[in-house]
Amino acid sequence: MDTLSAILAGFAVALEPAHILYCVVGVVVGTVVGVLPGLGPAATIALLLPVTYRLEPVSAVIMLAGIYYGSQYGGSTTSILVRIPGESSSMVTCYDGYEMTRRGRAGAALGMAAIASFVAGTASVIGLMLVAPLLGRFALAFGPWEYASLMVLGLTLVAYLGGASLLRALAMAVVGLLLATVGQDPVAGVERFTFGAQTLLDGIDLVPVFMGLFGIAEVLETMERPPDQQRLATPGDLLPTRQDFRDSLAPVARGTVLGFFLGVLPGGGATVASIASYVTEKRFARNRDRLGQGAIEGVAGPEAANNAAATGSFVPLLTLGIPANVVMAMMLAALTLHGIRPGPLLISERPDLFWGTITSMYLGNVLLLILNLPLVGLFIQILRVPYPILAPAIVLFCLIGAYSVTGQVAEVLTMVCFGIGGYLLRKLGFEAAPLVLALILGRPLEEALRQALALSQGSFLPFLTRPISLVLLLATAAALTTPLARAALARPPR
Amino acid sequence: MTDPDLRPLAARADLVAGAALLLVALGAFVTGGSLSWGTITQPGPGFFPRALAVLLAVLSLALLTRGLRHPGADLREQWADGAGRRRVLLMTATLLGYVLLVGTAGYLLTTAALFVVMVRWVGGRGWTATLLTGAIGSAGSYLLFGRLLRVELPAGLWVP
């Protein structure tokens, strides 16, 4: 009953008044950030990094975690109301959520999104408690071969699930890996592709890239439309009906399980999880024929999945020290800033931080449900701000976010370049997600690969003879070749 | 995707992207040429980038092939119309201008200018709204980030 006492101790940490306060701040900020298009949790966490430096580590992590799962609640709001996903993970919620709004059922959609998020968020915290310590022990058996295979699988999955075309997604992933080689090489420290620029010595920073590809590119794309094309729908009934609950039960359960495991895998994360859940519902939901025409399943499933994934993605971060996605990379940066090295030893070295953070998620999810149901009305007011006035504010957030990374204007230039690039990529039908993920995983992947080759004297054989690595590579091969899965998943649902 | 007008654009999407990526791959391979390959037991700094460049070249050739074979395969959207394109270009120029000027002119002035351009010319709002949001936006964000959150913003010419 070691774990039980650890959990109780965790609650004691999470329920300290200061920690409750930071949890509240985190989930409120997260919800707002989730609502605002073009400003995501990764950007926000980057923005708040300098602030958290002044806090003690547990408070900082509790607050930042709150921002992440809080944003999963808020992200659906704009998807449902105006068909603009507040977060990429709420993209698929647009399909049925907005259709529900058009049918005067915005209240039901928003309510179900919050409830599904709550159920999935809470259930996956239990999963996190059960799985994380196990995975932590399991992780000790991981050598460079397993890490490399794991990252290759993660990259393949996100490329596979994340876009309209496998070929394009893979190309984006390779571009991201190439971009990750900019700067000093991780083994010998030799300069690569820096072209004499001082800023590039440490590699390309993630925050400007992310803000450019998502925030700025989004603003540029919106600018194509005439400024007055903003339309708001009024929510009708406030809560989902009994029938809605009945229809949503199975999608929420499926979305939670699917989301949690996809969140645990590196490269998974909330976006992939929500897409996968939508695809699953298209196949299994009771009213699958109505999906896309305002079916509650199309909101409940993906919203459950993205929340479960948000929680699940803490598993690899806390136990392996591997960020599963961009936001977790930011969390890793925050932890490192405080001198904490996440990894297999974290649970035994910092139980207060580990269990305190996890138990604070229970609290956070309850807070979010209480917060989100009545606050829906207020969020609509934010959206009433005309886009021409909202847009410069979004751009400004991105500019400050990029600048605050190192305090150099060069970072802002990087962001603007990636913004323009991201806009062009969108126009050509490319997804930015595989690129960003590859940029994150590039360095650790190269390091693991070179280490593995050095240890095995140049032989690739251990990748196939070590059981865990073999399983991971087989999964990669299956993901790349299974034509059935390709037909089901390679095309985004419409 | 039945609109025949979309066809040539769609063909271009794969072709343009394939060609651009092929250039990136070649560039990376050539630029990375000075880095040592190392040996298979001790891969050098040039090993990973050049392996990736080759992989990217293969993928871009596949894209080019697909673009030639199936014109109109999958393009997500069309480019913007005339007015929309002008707004996007103006916005792009504004962002680049911001980067150029913020170091010398400072945060407050450049940010106010950003708001003015975006609200007045990109957003097409009146001067009252423009100046009001410009003043509130630059001063407010300065107080919030510069003072309250203590982000070191570029000082430049004028900082209170």
Side-chain angles (χ1 to χ4, degrees):
Chain A
M1 283 289 98
D2 244 7
T3 313
L4 189 67
S5 59
I7 290 170
L8 287 176
F11 270 114
V13 174
L15 288 173
E16 279 170 34
H19 292 157
I20 293 180
L21 179 71
Y22 284 111
C23 187
V24 172
V25 172
V27 296
V28 171
V29 170
T31 311
V32 175
V33 154
V35 171
L36 290 173
L39 186 65
T44 311
I45 291 174
L47 211 62
L48 289 177
L49 271 188
V51 185
T52 60
Y53 195 53
R54 270 165 258 272
L55 302 176
E56 48 117 6
V58 182
S59 305
V61 175
I62 284 178
M63 183 173 80
L64 296 178
I67 292 176
Y68 185 36
Y69 58 78
S71 69
Q72 304 304 324
Y73 279 74
S76 56
T77 310
T78 46
S79 293
I80 292 168
L81 289 176
V82 287
R83 214 169 197 272
I84 299 173
E87 300 306 324
S88 55
S89 57
S90 294
M91 229 156 34
V92 290
T93 311
C94 282
Y95 303 136
D96 283 273
Y98 187 67
E99 282 304 315
M100 285 182 76
T101 298
R102 283 182 54 189
R103 288 163 166 75
R105 305 205 59 220
L110 287 169
M112 185 50 76
I115 293 163
S117 298
F118 171 73
V119 173
T122 314
S124 52
V125 173
I126 299 173
L128 182 54
M129 285 177 166
L130 297 176
V131 174
L134 267 175
L135 243 178
R137 256 167 265 154
F138 185 62
L140 290 173
F142 266 51
W145 301 274
E146 283 78 13
Y147 275 112
S149 303
L150 189 67
M151 285 184 265
V152 170
L153 174 64
L155 276 172
T156 315
L157 280 184
V158 83
Y160 198 54
L161 294 169
S165 151
L166 178 64
L167 191 54
R168 287 177 177 189
L170 286 178
M172 278 298 98
V174 177
V175 171
L177 288 174
L178 260 178
L179 284 171
T181 63
V182 173
Q184 292 182 322
D185 101 84
V187 179
V190 178
E191 274 184 48
R192 298 188 296 198
F193 306 117
T194 55
F195 306 106
Q198 199 69 36
T199 342
L200 292 178
L201 265 186
D202 291 331
I204 298 175
D205 247 305
L206 202 60
V207 183
V209 172
F210 186 81
M211 296 209 139
L213 283 177
F214 292 92
I216 298 294
E218 171 83 41
V219 169
L220 284 175
E221 202 174 27
T222 314
M223 293 288 167
E224 290 181 347
R225 295 197 295 269
D228 50 352
Q229 272 185 20
Q230 287 274 319
R231 190 183 149 274
L232 278 179
T234 40
D237 47 346
L238 268 175
L239 281 175
T241 62
R242 192 162 297 177
Q243 184 61 40
D244 287 338
F245 278 109
R246 220 171 289 142
D247 288 340
S248 301
L249 214 59
V252 168
R254 282 192 288 261
T256 304
V257 175
L258 196 63
F260 183 74
F261 285 103
L262 282 174
V264 169
L265 287 178
T271 308
V272 175
S274 61
I275 296 170
S277 160
Y278 195 86
V279 175
T280 311
E281 291 317 313
K282 254 207 135 60
R283 185 150 295 185
F284 294 110
R286 200 184 304 160
N287 301 318
R288 53 181 166 275
D289 305 330
R290 284 203 299 126
L291 225 66
Q293 297 156 24
I296 192 100
E297 291 94 329
V299 175
E303 283 305 312
N306 67 25
N307 256 70
T311 313
S313 58
F314 278 89
V315 174
L317 176 76
L318 293 176
T319 60
L320 303 178
I322 295 180
N325 55 45
V326 190
V327 182
M328 288 300 115
M330 290 296 143
M331 292 287 294
L332 181 63
L335 288 168
T336 320
L337 206 65
H338 285 282
I340 295 163
R341 252 188 68 108
L345 297 175
L346 183 72
I347 304 178
S348 49
E349 277 174 3
R350 291 299 303 266
D352 60 324
L353 181 110
F354 184 83
W355 292 108
T357 305
I358 291 178
T359 47
S360 81
M361 293 180 187
Y362 269 126
L363 188 69
N365 274 294
V366 176
L367 286 169
L368 278 164
L369 188 67
I370 300 170
L371 200 83
N372 266 272
L373 287 179
L375 269 190
V376 163
L378 187 77
F379 288 135
I380 302 172
Q381 303 306 313
I382 296 180
L383 293 167
R384 216 156 260 176
V385 176
Y387 196 75
I389 289 165
L390 194 61
I394 295 172
V395 171
L396 196 60
F397 273 127
C398 296
L399 290 170
I400 295 174
Y403 183 80
S404 63
V405 180
T406 57
Q408 284 175 310
V409 180
E411 302 286 0
V412 185
L413 181 63
T414 308
M415 184 199 69
V416 172
C417 291
F418 273 93
I420 298 166
Y423 170 75
L424 293 175
L425 284 177
R426 278 182 195 213
K427 291 279 101 185
L428 292 174
F430 280 80
E431 294 282 332
L435 188 152
V436 175
L437 190 84
L439 183 59
I440 300 168
L441 293 181
R443 279 178 165 257
L445 176 62
E446 180 181 4
E447 224 169 324
L449 210 59
R450 283 167 73 172
Q451 224 178 333
L453 281 176
L455 281 174
S456 61
Q457 256 111 56
S459 165
F460 283 92
L461 216 58
F463 284 107
L464 301 176
T465 52
R466 294 174 68 103
I468 301 173
S469 169
L470 178 68
V471 169
L472 292 168
L473 287 180
L474 283 177
T476 308
L480 278 172
T481 50
T482 312
L484 222 169
R486 182 177 295 181
L489 300 173
R491 270 182 220 136
R494 264 283 144 190
Chain B
M1 283 284 173
T2 45
D3 186 354
D5 290 345
L6 272 175
R7 282 276 168 82
L9 279 167
R12 261 194 356 222
D14 270 342
L15 288 179
V16 168
L21 290 174
L22 189 59
L23 279 179
V24 172
L26 287 175
F29 195 87
V30 173
T31 321
S34 55
L35 303 164
S36 86
W37 274 97
T39 59
I40 193 70
T41 46
Q42 212 65 34
F47 166 74
F48 199 57
R50 279 204 274 179
L52 287 172
V54 172
L55 189 58
L56 186 62
V58 171
L59 288 170
S60 52
L61 284 175
L63 271 173
L64 280 172
T65 319
R66 193 174 69 176
L68 288 171
R69 261 204 208 148
H70 309 283
D74 49 339
L75 180 76
R76 238 175 38 166
E77 337 181 345
Q78 276 177 295
W79 295 87
D81 59 2
R85 204 175 314 157
R86 268 194 298 280
R87 274 192 298 273
V88 173
L89 280 176
L90 177 60
M91 189 62 229
T92 311
T94 310
L95 287 170
L96 290 172
Y98 190 95
V99 176
L100 278 178
L101 292 177
V102 74
T104 44
Y107 176 80
L108 275 174
L109 294 178
T110 331
T111 303
L114 172 83
F115 269 80
V116 168
V117 175
M118 284 191 72
V119 178
R120 181 71 188 94
W121 288 293
V122 184
R125 293 265 146 175
W127 274 110
T128 323
T130 302
L131 294 176
L132 210 63
T133 45
I136 296 174
S138 59
S141 63
Y142 176 78
L143 289 177
L144 178 64
F145 293 103
R147 287 293 163 89
L148 196 69
L149 300 179
R150 298 187 197 180
V151 177
E152 291 281 337
L153 299 168
L157 285 180
W158 182 58
V159 138

